Amino acid sequence: MITATQIRGARAMIGMSIEELAAASGLPVETVRALENGEFAGEPHALFDVRSTLEANGIIFLSSGNQDEGGPGIRLRARTSTDDGIRPENLNAANDD
């Protein structure tokens, strides 16, 4: 289970508006607003859709048992890049920007 605070924080962390989250998760804006206000009753599929969308955008949800202190939280997934740049041994004037 995730909290309303986690949803709001996750959305803010990735710079996604309520409207963008609603569109990406296939839900009405009013439903996303209700979830962010803690109104989960009768909306288990909506909560799942929002969580899945945020996770697909790099959010990791932490339960209260994941940390030594504190309650539930969020974090960004480590970004992996296929572009590691230019190795030092390959630096030269031709590839100097």
Side-chain angles (χ1 to χ4, degrees), residues 30-50:
E30 298 79 25
T31 300
V32 175
R33 274 201 186 100
L35 292 174
E36 286 195 357
N37 289 326
E39 301 164 9
F40 297 118
E43 299 291 343
H45 73 283
L47 190 58
F48 176 81
D49 293 342
V50 165

Side-chain angles (χ1 to χ4, degrees), residues 54-69:
L54 292 169
E55 288 174 338
N57 281 277
I59 295 294
I60 297 172
F61 290 95
L62 305 171
S63 67
S64 59
N66 287 1
Q67 303 296 320
D68 291 336
E69 295 180 23

Side-chain angles (χ1 to χ4, degrees), residues 74-95:
I74 56 172
R75 68 179 296 173
L76 283 173
R77 184 179 312 118
R79 299 187 191 268
T80 57
S81 174
T82 57
D83 180 13
D84 292 330
I86 300 171
R87 301 210 34 92
E89 62 270 14
N90 296 328
L91 289 174
N92 58 47
N95 57 32

